[in-house]
Amino acid sequence: MRKANVYGYARISTMKQSIQRQIDNIKSIYPNAVIITEEYTGTKMDRPNWNKLVKNLTPGDTIV
């Protein structure tokens, strides 16, 4: 049986912002989380890395 994965999704709108705080917060609670990052506007849900993550989820996986 496959072990469920925990994914941390961190997104910023521009490269002027820092994503590290989001990553640190996720890792503090879920140290084994696989972190997926993205620089993409918050006004659109058609985000490449988000779409790839959701497409590859299997039952039992968690996104934080």
Side-chain angles (χ1 to χ4, degrees):
M1 177 177 258
R2 182 190 161 284
K3 182 181 173 195
N5 289 313
V6 175
Y7 297 95
Y9 179 76
R11 183 193 59 80
I12 55 174
S13 296
T14 69
M15 288 304 288
K16 293 179 182 178
Q17 297 171 317
S18 174
I19 203 165
Q20 193 59 50
R21 184 176 61 188
Q22 293 179 50
I23 294 169
D24 292 345
N25 287 339
I26 293 167
K27 286 291 199 173
S28 72
I29 299 170
Y30 303 95
N32 295 322
V34 176
I35 302 296
I36 307 298
T37 62
E38 191 146 54
E39 179 203 337
Y40 212 80
T41 180
T43 62
K44 297 190 178 12
M45 280 302 296
D46 187 25
R47 302 176 193 147
N49 289 348
W50 172 259
N51 293 340
K52 184 178 176 181
L53 170 60
V54 171
K55 181 181 175 184
N56 291 311
L57 290 175
T58 58
D61 288 347
T62 302
I63 301 175
V64 294

